Amino acid sequence: MFEQLSDRLTATFARLQGRPRVTEADLDEAVRDVRVALLEADVNFKVVRQLVATVRERALGERVLESISGAQQVVKIVHDALVQMLGGGSATPLARAERPPTVILLVGLQGSGKTTTAGKLANLLRKQGRRPLLVAADVYRPAAVDQLQALGKQLGLPVATVRAEAVADDIGTVIAAASADGRDVVIVDSAGRLHIDDAMMAELEAVVTSARPHETLLVVDAMGGQDAVDAAAAFKARLPLTGLVLTKMDSDARGGAALSIRAVTGVPVKLMGTSEKLDGIELFHPDRLAQRILGMGDILTLVERAQEHVDVKEAEAQARRLLEARFTFEDFYGQLQQIKKMGPIGDLLKMMPGMGQLAKQLPAGDKAEKDLGRIEAIIASMTRAERADPALLNGSRRKRIAAGSGTTVSEINHFLKQFAEMQKLMKQVGGMAKAGRLRLPGVPR
Ligand SMILES: Nc1nc2c(ncn2[C@@H]2O[C@H](COP(=O)(O)OP(=O)(O)OP(=O)(O)O)[C@@H](O)[C@H]2O)c(=O)[nH]1
Ligand SMILES: [Mg+2]
């Protein structure tokens, strides 16, 4: 999502940065480009008008025209305006009840992703040490209850059900009993309808009255365009919404409407769904998203993912060996495994500053993944001794490894050469670090 928008904005700023000084005409052109890019991405036109006016005003106020770093200032001003549009600064945390359980109610149109989000949220909160209980309050479709129960089973978490004729009452009872069962957060999945109608709203109002949720989150399909934004406004008119969840942010729809939903409804976006899987949920960080859209990468999310999936001690030990050129194929193999756990290479690259364009150049069909897979196969076909000492790899051993890994001897030669070059380079860097001319984590001086 936002790929086209990101491309257009990146191109606009590249053009601007190519100018020696920003003239008023340059500024006007850039502002016009930003406006068109946002409108084409389907951002609400009123929100765009406001944003563009802000950018222009600030740019003139901050005298970017006379400054040598004018172009950079314009980028910064657009960045800040985007962050503001998305809700400002960092993520808005989920409410937490003073006296548990915290009750989170999920509402939304049919197919928006409520049930999936219930499972993801339970998973996320459990990772934070909480003890969630899921409640299947979608009683109209038997399959809906099954769906949530299947998710509960996958997560090893309890799922409570309610009677169709007493939804609101039963939810109240379930919540009242939750604490005694050692549950400190209750996530209620509700029924969705195709359209907003009075009956659904009345029903949800009754649920709100009996559940007294600390969070009433409206789940919105980010692919839904302006219709989704209108629906959000209608929900807000009837229910005490405390936040939004934008799902399907991984799709390649234009998605601009979702970007303006906060500005249009005034309700903060708290979470976003980034895949169909149970770990496909992230806190919604306006600043990080703005940086991603502007092609500045998202280092913080990358670091967090690394911390979640990579063994830091082991990584530091490897870094030390790397710099002393004692880094072996065995280490390399271990690193590949860890990187793979963090997600598809293309996604990871997109989070690195300036790497977004490179990520796009990766051939489609996950060629990067395949290349890594081949390297993995090569190392897997080596003996332990060979992994520790590449000097052993004579012609006949290389032939054997090629046959074992489904590659060719020339591929293996190429890889060995690259590896040797990397070792040489790292030895130099390691020498510099030891001499105190460079500071690296995990390297004693
Ligand atoms: N790619 C992607 N798919 C998602 C995401 N969230 C939900 N989905 C998919 O969207 C579809 C609908 O999700 P559900 O969770 O069943 O939606 P719901 O709101 O509970 O639907 P109803 O109960 O029918 O109202 C499913 O196929 C999900 O896998 C997401 O963040 N990314
Ligand atoms: Mg559902």
Side-chain angles (χ1 to χ4, degrees), residues 207-274:
V207 170
V208 168
T209 306
S210 70
R212 306 214 285 142
H214 304 91
E215 288 279 5
T216 303
L217 301 177
L218 176 68
V219 180
V220 181
D221 181 339
M223 300 195 299
Q226 295 301 333
D227 286 349
V229 180
D230 294 343
F235 268 96
K236 195 203 162 196
R238 287 289 290 265
L239 296 173
L241 297 184
T242 55
L244 302 169
V245 182
L246 292 179
T247 60
K248 310 182 197 178
M249 294 282 274
D250 51 316
S251 82
D252 44 15
R254 289 183 296 166
L259 292 181
S260 40
I261 197 164
R262 155 77 212 237
V264 173
T265 63
V267 184
V269 183
K270 295 198 169 170
L271 296 159
M272 61 183 188
T274 55

Side-chain angles (χ1 to χ4, degrees), residues 163-199:
R163 291 169 300 164
E165 65 278 12
V167 176
D169 286 349
D170 283 2
I171 290 176
T173 312
V174 164
I175 291 169
S179 279
D181 288 341
R183 301 284 128 195
D184 59 7
V185 49
V186 179
I187 301 169
V188 184
D189 177 28
S190 68
R193 302 264 172 97
L194 265 184
H195 301 287
I196 293 172
D197 59 27
D198 220 47

Side-chain angles (χ1 to χ4, degrees), residues 4-158:
Q4 249 179 353
L5 174 62
S6 180
D7 284 352
R8 291 199 58 149
L9 293 177
T10 313
T12 298
F13 295 138
R15 217 174 310 134
L16 196 63
Q17 269 157 344
R19 309 271 157 80
R21 292 265 163 128
V22 179
T23 66
E24 186 155 5
D26 294 336
L27 179 65
D28 283 342
E29 188 191 313
V31 168
R32 204 163 43 235
D33 285 351
V34 169
R35 184 173 152 272
V36 173
L38 290 171
L39 287 175
E40 281 187 359
D42 200 24
V43 180
N44 177 286
F45 72 96
K46 280 187 200 153
V47 175
V48 174
R49 196 162 59 200
Q50 171 73 48
L51 182 139
V52 165
T54 310
V55 167
R56 197 156 198 289
E57 193 181 313
R58 274 197 217 155
L60 291 174
E62 287 174 27
R63 300 176 181 278
V64 298
L65 301 182
E66 291 150 42
S67 142
I68 19 170
S69 57
Q72 262 148 303
Q73 278 184 44
V74 174
V75 179
K76 171 87 170 71
I77 290 168
V78 173
H79 167 264
D80 292 351
L82 273 180
V83 172
Q84 197 190 1
M85 172 179 94
L86 294 171
S90 46
T92 314
L94 288 178
R96 210 166 159 163
E98 250 171 60
R99 291 205 301 135
T102 301
V103 178
I104 302 174
L105 171 64
L106 299 173
V107 301
L109 290 178
Q110 206 168 79
S112 57
K114 294 177 293 298
T115 307
T116 313
T117 301
K120 289 175 176 180
L121 191 53
N123 190 24
L124 182 75
L125 292 172
R126 195 197 24 198
K127 277 192 214 157
Q128 297 169 1
R130 311 273 294 274
R131 299 169 54 81
L133 167 69
L134 290 160
V135 183
D138 182 353
V139 290
Y140 298 99
R141 289 186 304 120
V145 178
D146 297 344
Q147 189 189 351
L148 194 68
Q149 277 173 334
L151 290 173
K153 202 164 165 199
Q154 233 174 303
L155 292 166
L157 289 173

